[in-house]
Amino acid sequence: MRLSDQEFNRLSLLKVLRKSEPVARIDLARLTGLTGGTITAITADLVNRGIVIEEKVASNAPGRPRINLRINPASKYVIGATAISDGQVMTELVNLRGDSLAVSTSSLRKVTKIKDLAHQFVHALKCALSEWSVNREDIFRIGVGIPGVVDNRTGWVEQIISFEPEPCDFGGIVSRGLEIPCLVDNNINLLARAEHWYGLGAQTADFTLINVDLGIGAAFYRSGQLVSGSHGIASEFGHAKVVPDVGRPCYCGALGCLQAYCSIHSILQQSCRVLGRDAPSYETMNATFDALMDEHARGVIDIWSVLQQASHYLGIAVANHINTHDPAEIIIVGPSVAQMDKLRSAFFKALEDNTFPALRRRTKLHFRLSDKGLYAKGAAAMVLERLYAA
Ligand SMILES: [Zn+2]
């Protein structure tokens, strides 16, 4: 969803204010590049709505007193909630500045229908709200993150692996259950939002985040805005072809998808085949992967060939992305892996061999370890983006 110029200006101004407060109007004009007239109009509206407060600065200097602006953190609250892959719902309450006020975690019952998962979210959120003693009227919106295919315009969840393939009005169920409006997006977009608001991505308006987890996904920020596809569904980076026509079969039905080589799910499948072990169940994949990495690091097993192949194909996929999109920076988020230095050299070899030289020289790359706590933060940031722009 593209913002109008007016919405984009308001979002930019509030993001700068959040980072730099307390700030005078004249400094906001310098920091945002907006005209004085635009700053005056936007801030007057925000002060009227109680979102921004004015502070007189004590001074003995002659003339009009200097007035600084701050975000009023307690004027509204937002909630982020997300399902993470080890069967838990994480919820986080944040104020209007995005400061975390409370975090709550609860376990999910094993269900197979997406609508049953939605009802479990309602229950988890009700428990969190009573634990936090916060009034529902003070909550602007709830942001929900789902590790699946989501239409973020409507809040419908189209597909989650390991659930029955029946689309569900997830946002509607949560909104009606709590009587608080709800936004829904996929977890990768939320991770990118968390980076933009709280992490490395805060330094740049243009970056791509690639997340290596049970699946592989990517999200894109351009000019300070998350880019969503035309159908409200993010791109499927994990299904970019790295070995077209003759590669490994992917669950999507195609051959040679990146996902089939480089996701934790596929690394586990291939490692178990090499080691002659049974593949783990979906629920135990993260724990089995950690145990496997530990065995590999201690020299008990050797799955170097599987890991090296995963790094090589990730390098090719990132090269293709740079060649087609020219991002300013790429942030690769993934688990802790044994022999990381060796794997990075396999990754960089494939990257250097396949990226157009002028683009490779200009694109910065960063690596980050996965942090499950960032998903709920990103869900809250999604709501703050909506509130700041509105
Ligand atoms: Zn695929």
Side-chain angles (χ1 to χ4, degrees), residues 81-297:
T82 182
I84 49 181
S85 47
D86 50 3
Q88 294 195 306
V89 179
M90 281 188 73
T91 45
E92 184 157 352
L93 179 72
V94 308
N95 65 19
L96 214 56
R97 291 196 72 259
D99 306 321
S100 176
L101 303 177
V103 178
S104 173
T105 306
S106 56
S107 294
L108 288 166
R109 271 184 302 110
K110 173 85 183 131
V111 289
T112 55
K113 287 185 176 3
I114 300 173
K115 71 171 192 281
D116 293 335
L117 180 69
H119 288 293
Q120 288 200 61
F121 261 74
V122 172
H123 178 70
L125 283 158
K126 279 183 178 169
C127 292
L129 276 169
S130 61
E131 193 183 303
W132 299 336
S133 344
V134 56
N135 293 326
R136 287 184 197 204
E137 311 81 69
D138 295 332
I139 307 288
F140 173 68
R141 272 181 177 83
I142 294 167
V144 165
I146 295 295
V149 180
V150 178
D151 183 338
N152 63 19
R153 300 166 307 175
T154 61
W156 274 69
V157 174
E158 301 288 328
Q159 185 190 341
I160 308 177
I161 293 177
S162 84
F163 282 71
E164 288 176 21
E166 193 182 334
C168 160
D169 180 13
F170 206 104
I173 291 175
V174 175
S175 296
R176 288 188 294 276
L178 289 145
E179 295 174 349
I180 302 171
C182 173
L183 307 174
V184 188
D185 207 343
N186 80 67
N187 271 355
I188 315 290
N189 279 347
L190 298 188
L191 214 50
R193 286 187 166 105
E195 279 296 342
H196 183 61
W197 282 73
Y198 300 99
L200 281 171
Q203 314 307 321
T204 171
D206 291 77
F207 69 96
T208 295
L209 180 136
I210 296 170
N211 188 45
V212 180
D213 202 322
L214 290 182
I216 292 196
F220 318 103
Y221 259 84
R222 297 290 177 264
S223 306
Q225 278 192 74
L226 184 91
V227 178
S228 261
S230 308
H231 307 101
I233 294 170
S235 72
E236 286 291 337
F237 183 76
H239 299 279
K241 306 294 173 278
V242 289
V243 194
D245 300 333
V246 293
R248 284 170 59 83
C250 176
Y251 74 84
C252 72
L255 296 176
C257 295
L258 176 66
Q259 174 93 20
Y261 292 91
C262 189
S263 63
I264 289 181
H265 180 253
S266 70
I267 290 173
L268 277 171
Q269 273 188 332
Q270 294 170 78
S271 301
C272 287
R273 192 170 303 130
V274 168
L275 300 168
R277 296 182 183 175
D278 291 335
S281 66
Y282 185 80
E283 291 75 25
T284 59
M285 281 186 179
N286 279 316
T288 310
F289 182 77
D290 292 343
L292 215 61
M293 283 304 116
D294 180 55
E295 284 184 77
H296 179 69

Side-chain angles (χ1 to χ4, degrees), residues 4-24:
S4 68
D5 288 349
Q6 211 177 15
E7 288 169 330
F8 183 71
N9 289 345
R10 210 156 30 212
L11 175 65
S12 307
L13 183 146
L14 277 166
K15 281 204 270 195
V16 167
L17 187 56
R18 172 178 176 263
K19 221 186 218 170
S20 317
E21 67 177 15
V23 190

